[in-house]
Amino acid sequence: MADFTPDLKQLLNIAGCSFVRYGKGDHEIWLSPISQRHFVVDGSIRSRHTANGVLKQAGLPKHF
């Protein structure tokens, strides 16, 4: 199965989002300067719907 996490993190970095801290398990907490929200990025995202949901929370358009 595909792992969308590396591409997702690259898109977030390009958009100016920043890593804040590690969460529980393999989750990371990120901050978006666009939506001014904290959001969670899983260490292994296997669903394009989940990856697009993270982008939506960050205030970015769908990509996957």
Side-chain angles (χ1 to χ4, degrees), residues 4-24:
F4 294 99
T5 306
D7 294 334
L8 176 64
K9 287 183 180 180
Q10 184 177 11
L11 288 170
L12 293 173
N13 281 321
I14 290 169
C17 297
S18 57
F19 170 80
V20 177
R21 64 179 174 86
Y22 290 103
K24 289 189 174 185

Side-chain angles (χ1 to χ4, degrees), residues 6 9-10 13 23 25 27-28 39 47-48 50-51 53 57 63-64:
K9 287 183 180 180
Q10 184 177 11
N13 281 321
H27 291 79
E28 297 178 352
F39 56 93
S47 163
R48 67 182 179 91
T50 303
Q57 290 179 9
H63 179 78
F64 302 103

